[in-house]
Coordinates of all heavy atoms in Angstrom, one line a residue:
S1 N 11.2 2.7 -11.7 CA 12.1 3.1 -12.7 C 13.1 4.1 -12.2 O 14.1 4.4 -12.9 CB 11.3 3.7 -13.9 OG 10.6 4.8 -13.5
R2 N 12.9 4.6 -11.0 CA 13.9 5.6 -10.5 C 13.8 5.4 -9.0 O 13.0 4.6 -8.4 CB 13.5 7.0 -10.9 CG 12.2 7.5 -10.4 CD 12.1 9.0 -10.5 NE 10.9 9.6 -10.0 CZ 10.5 9.8 -8.8 NH1 11.4 9.5 -7.8 NH2 9.4 10.4 -8.5
S3 N 14.6 6.2 -8.3 CA 14.7 6.1 -6.8 C 13.3 6.3 -6.2 O 12.6 7.2 -6.5 CB 15.7 7.1 -6.3 OG 15.7 7.2 -4.9
I4 N 13.0 5.5 -5.2 CA 11.8 5.6 -4.4 C 12.1 6.3 -3.1 O 11.2 6.4 -2.2 CB 11.1 4.3 -4.2 CG1 12.0 3.3 -3.4 CG2 10.7 3.7 -5.5 CD1 11.3 2.0 -3.0
F5 N 13.3 6.7 -2.8 CA 13.7 7.2 -1.5 C 12.9 8.4 -1.1 O 12.5 8.5 0.1 CB 15.2 7.6 -1.6 CG 15.7 8.1 -0.3 CD1 16.0 7.2 0.8 CD2 15.9 9.5 0.0 CE1 16.5 7.7 2.0 CE2 16.3 9.9 1.2 CZ 16.6 9.1 2.2
S6 N 12.5 9.2 -2.0 CA 11.8 10.4 -1.7 C 10.3 10.4 -1.9 O 9.6 11.3 -1.6 CB 12.4 11.6 -2.5 OG 12.1 11.4 -3.9
I7 N 9.8 9.2 -2.3 CA 8.4 9.0 -2.5 C 7.7 8.9 -1.1 O 8.2 8.1 -0.3 CB 8.1 7.8 -3.4 CG1 8.6 8.1 -4.8 CG2 6.6 7.6 -3.5 CD1 8.5 6.9 -5.8
N8 N 6.7 9.7 -0.9 CA 6.0 9.8 0.4 C 5.6 8.4 0.9 O 5.8 8.1 2.1 CB 4.8 10.7 0.3 CG 5.2 12.1 0.1 OD1 6.3 12.5 0.5 ND2 4.4 12.9 -0.5
A9 N 5.0 7.6 0.1 CA 4.5 6.3 0.5 C 4.3 5.4 -0.7 O 4.1 5.9 -1.8 CB 3.2 6.4 1.3
M10 N 4.5 4.1 -0.5 CA 4.2 3.1 -1.5 C 3.1 2.2 -1.0 O 3.2 1.7 0.2 CB 5.5 2.3 -1.8 CG 6.7 3.1 -2.3 SD 6.4 3.7 -4.0 CE 6.4 2.2 -4.9
D11 N 2.1 2.0 -1.8 CA 1.0 1.2 -1.4 C 0.9 -0.1 -2.3 O 1.3 -0.1 -3.4 CB -0.3 1.9 -1.6 CG -0.5 3.0 -0.6 OD1 0.4 3.2 0.3 OD2 -1.5 3.7 -0.7
W12 N 0.2 -1.1 -1.7 CA -0.3 -2.2 -2.5 C -1.8 -2.2 -2.4 O -2.4 -2.0 -1.3 CB 0.2 -3.5 -1.9 CG 1.6 -3.9 -2.3 CD1 2.7 -3.7 -1.6 CD2 2.1 -4.4 -3.5 NE1 3.9 -4.1 -2.2 CE2 3.5 -4.6 -3.5 CE3 1.4 -4.9 -4.7 CZ2 4.2 -5.1 -4.5 CZ3 2.2 -5.4 -5.7 CH2 3.6 -5.5 -5.6
F13 N -2.5 -2.3 -3.5 CA -3.9 -2.5 -3.6 C -4.2 -3.8 -4.3 O -3.3 -4.4 -4.9 CB -4.5 -1.3 -4.4 CG -4.7 -0.1 -3.6 CD1 -3.7 0.7 -3.2 CD2 -6.0 0.3 -3.3 CE1 -3.9 1.9 -2.5 CE2 -6.2 1.5 -2.6 CZ -5.2 2.3 -2.2
R14 N -5.5 -4.2 -4.2 CA -5.9 -5.4 -5.0 C -7.3 -5.2 -5.5 O -8.1 -4.4 -4.9 CB -5.8 -6.7 -4.2 CG -6.7 -6.7 -3.0 CD -6.4 -8.0 -2.1 NE -7.3 -8.1 -1.0 CZ -7.1 -9.0 0.0 NH1 -6.1 -9.9 -0.1 NH2 -8.0 -9.1 0.9
Q15 N -7.6 -5.9 -6.6 CA -8.9 -5.8 -7.1 C -9.4 -7.2 -7.6 O -8.7 -7.8 -8.5 CB -9.0 -4.9 -8.3 CG -10.4 -4.6 -8.8 CD -10.5 -3.4 -9.7 OE1 -9.5 -3.0 -10.3 NE2 -11.7 -2.9 -9.9
A16 N -10.4 -7.7 -6.9 CA -11.0 -9.0 -7.3 C -12.0 -8.8 -8.3 O -12.6 -7.7 -8.5 CB -11.6 -9.7 -6.0
P17 N -12.3 -9.9 -9.1 CA -13.3 -9.7 -10.2 C -14.7 -9.3 -9.6 O -15.2 -9.8 -8.6 CB -13.5 -11.2 -10.7 CG -12.2 -11.8 -10.4 CD -11.7 -11.2 -9.1
G18 N -15.2 -8.2 -10.2 CA -16.5 -7.7 -9.8 C -16.5 -6.9 -8.6 O -17.6 -6.4 -8.1
K19 N -15.3 -6.6 -8.1 CA -15.2 -5.8 -6.8 C -14.4 -4.5 -7.1 O -13.6 -4.4 -8.0 CB -14.6 -6.6 -5.7 CG -15.5 -7.8 -5.3 CD -14.9 -8.4 -4.0 CE -15.8 -9.6 -3.6 NZ -15.2 -10.2 -2.3
Q20 N -14.5 -3.6 -6.2 CA -13.7 -2.4 -6.2 C -12.3 -2.6 -5.8 O -12.0 -3.6 -5.0 CB -14.3 -1.3 -5.4 CG -15.6 -0.7 -5.9 CD -16.1 0.5 -5.1 OE1 -15.8 0.7 -3.9 NE2 -16.8 1.4 -5.8
R21 N -11.4 -1.8 -6.3 CA -10.0 -1.9 -5.8 C -9.9 -1.5 -4.4 O -10.6 -0.6 -3.9 CB -9.1 -1.0 -6.7 CG -7.6 -1.2 -6.5 CD -6.9 -0.3 -7.5 NE -7.1 -0.8 -8.9 CZ -6.4 -0.4 -9.9 NH1 -5.4 0.5 -9.7 NH2 -6.7 -0.8 -11.1
E22 N -9.2 -2.3 -3.6 CA -9.1 -2.1 -2.2 C -7.7 -2.0 -1.7 O -6.8 -2.7 -2.2 CB -9.9 -3.2 -1.4 CG -9.3 -4.6 -1.5 CD -9.9 -5.6 -0.6 OE1 -10.9 -5.3 0.1 OE2 -9.5 -6.8 -0.6
F23 N -7.5 -1.2 -0.6 CA -6.2 -1.0 0.0 C -5.8 -2.3 0.7 O -6.6 -3.0 1.3 CB -6.3 0.1 1.0 CG -5.1 0.3 1.8 CD1 -3.9 0.9 1.4 CD2 -5.1 -0.2 3.2 CE1 -2.8 1.0 2.1 CE2 -3.9 -0.1 4.0 CZ -2.8 0.5 3.4
V24 N -4.5 -2.6 0.5 CA -3.9 -3.8 1.2 C -2.8 -3.4 2.2 O -2.9 -3.8 3.4 CB -3.3 -4.7 0.2 CG1 -2.5 -5.9 0.9 CG2 -4.3 -5.3 -0.8
A25 N -1.9 -2.6 1.8 CA -0.8 -2.2 2.7 C -0.1 -1.0 2.2 O -0.1 -0.6 1.1 CB 0.2 -3.4 2.8
R26 N 0.6 -0.3 3.2 CA 1.3 0.9 2.9 C 2.6 0.9 3.7 O 2.7 0.5 4.8 CB 0.5 2.2 3.3 CG 1.4 3.5 3.3 CD 0.5 4.7 3.5 NE -0.4 4.9 2.3 CZ -1.3 5.8 2.2 NH1 -1.5 6.6 3.2 NH2 -2.0 5.9 1.1
I27 N 3.7 1.5 3.0 CA 4.9 1.7 3.7 C 5.3 3.2 3.4 O 5.3 3.6 2.2 CB 6.0 0.7 3.4 CG1 7.3 1.0 4.3 CG2 6.4 0.7 1.9 CD1 8.2 -0.2 4.3
T28 N 5.6 4.0 4.4 CA 5.9 5.4 4.2 C 7.4 5.6 4.0 O 8.2 4.6 4.1 CB 5.5 6.2 5.4 OG1 6.3 5.9 6.5 CG2 4.0 6.0 5.8
K29 N 7.7 6.8 3.6 CA 9.1 7.1 3.4 C 9.9 6.9 4.7 O 11.1 6.5 4.6 CB 9.2 8.6 3.0 CG 10.6 9.1 2.7 CD 10.5 10.5 2.0 CE 9.8 11.5 2.8 NZ 9.8 12.9 2.2
G30 N 9.3 7.0 5.8 CA 10.0 6.8 7.1 C 10.0 5.4 7.5 O 10.5 5.1 8.6
G31 N 9.3 4.5 6.8 CA 9.3 3.1 7.1 C 8.1 2.6 7.9 O 8.0 1.5 8.3
R32 N 7.2 3.6 8.2 CA 6.0 3.1 8.9 C 5.1 2.3 8.0 O 5.0 2.5 6.8 CB 5.2 4.3 9.4 CG 5.8 5.1 10.5 CD 4.9 6.2 10.9 NE 5.5 7.0 12.0 CZ 4.9 8.0 12.6 NH1 3.7 8.5 12.1 NH2 5.5 8.7 13.6
T33 N 4.4 1.3 8.6 CA 3.6 0.4 7.8 C 2.2 0.4 8.3 O 2.0 0.6 9.5 CB 4.1 -1.0 7.7 OG1 4.2 -1.5 9.1 CG2 5.5 -1.0 7.1
N34 N 1.2 0.2 7.5 CA -0.1 -0.2 8.0 C -0.8 -1.1 7.0 O -0.4 -1.2 5.8 CB -1.0 1.1 8.3 CG -1.2 1.9 7.1 OD1 -0.3 2.5 6.5 ND2 -2.5 2.0 6.7
Y35 N -1.8 -1.8 7.5 CA -2.4 -2.9 6.7 C -3.9 -2.9 6.8 O -4.5 -2.4 7.8 CB -1.9 -4.3 7.2 CG -0.4 -4.4 7.1 CD1 0.5 -4.0 8.2 CD2 0.2 -5.0 6.0 CE1 1.8 -4.2 8.1 CE2 1.6 -5.2 5.9 CZ 2.4 -4.8 7.0 OH 3.7 -4.9 6.9
A36 N -4.5 -3.4 5.8 CA -5.9 -3.7 5.9 C -6.2 -4.8 6.9 O -5.3 -5.7 7.1 CB -6.5 -4.2 4.5
D37 N -7.3 -4.7 7.6 CA -7.6 -5.7 8.7 C -7.5 -7.1 8.1 O -7.1 -8.0 8.8 CB -8.9 -5.4 9.3 CG -8.9 -4.2 10.2 OD1 -7.8 -3.7 10.6 OD2 -10.0 -3.6 10.5
S38 N -8.0 -7.2 6.9 CA -8.1 -8.6 6.3 C -6.8 -9.3 6.1 O -6.7 -10.5 5.9 CB -8.9 -8.5 5.0 OG -8.2 -7.6 4.1
V39 N -5.7 -8.5 6.1 CA -4.3 -9.1 5.8 C -3.4 -9.0 7.0 O -2.3 -9.5 6.9 CB -3.7 -8.5 4.5 CG1 -4.7 -8.6 3.4 CG2 -3.2 -7.1 4.8
K40 N -3.8 -8.3 8.0 CA -2.9 -8.1 9.2 C -2.5 -9.5 9.8 O -3.3 -10.4 9.9 CB -3.6 -7.3 10.3 CG -3.6 -5.8 10.1 CD -4.3 -5.1 11.2 CE -4.3 -3.6 11.0 NZ -5.1 -2.9 12.1
G41 N -1.2 -9.6 10.0 CA -0.6 -10.8 10.6 C -0.2 -11.8 9.5 O 0.4 -12.8 9.8

């Protein structure tokens, strides 16, 4: 709803039925990325 320029990082998570929410991917303010092993590549 507003600028994301100054937000430290933006993440994606996911939650499958009956499972805990899990980390998928992150992108930082500086553009660095990291991924869960299950989705890398």
Side-chain angles (χ1 to χ4, degrees):
S1 59
R2 64 165 179 79
S3 172
I4 61 171
F5 181 77
S6 62
I7 295 177
N8 292 331
M10 298 290 294
D11 287 0
W12 284 98
F13 278 73
R14 66 188 181 186
Q15 187 166 19
K19 295 188 177 181
Q20 289 190 331
R21 192 171 295 190
E22 65 175 2
F23 171 79
V24 175
R26 169 173 290 176
I27 186 164
T28 69
K29 182 167 55 175
R32 289 183 180 179
T33 60
N34 64 295
Y35 299 90
D37 288 343
S38 59
V39 307
K40 277 181 183 176

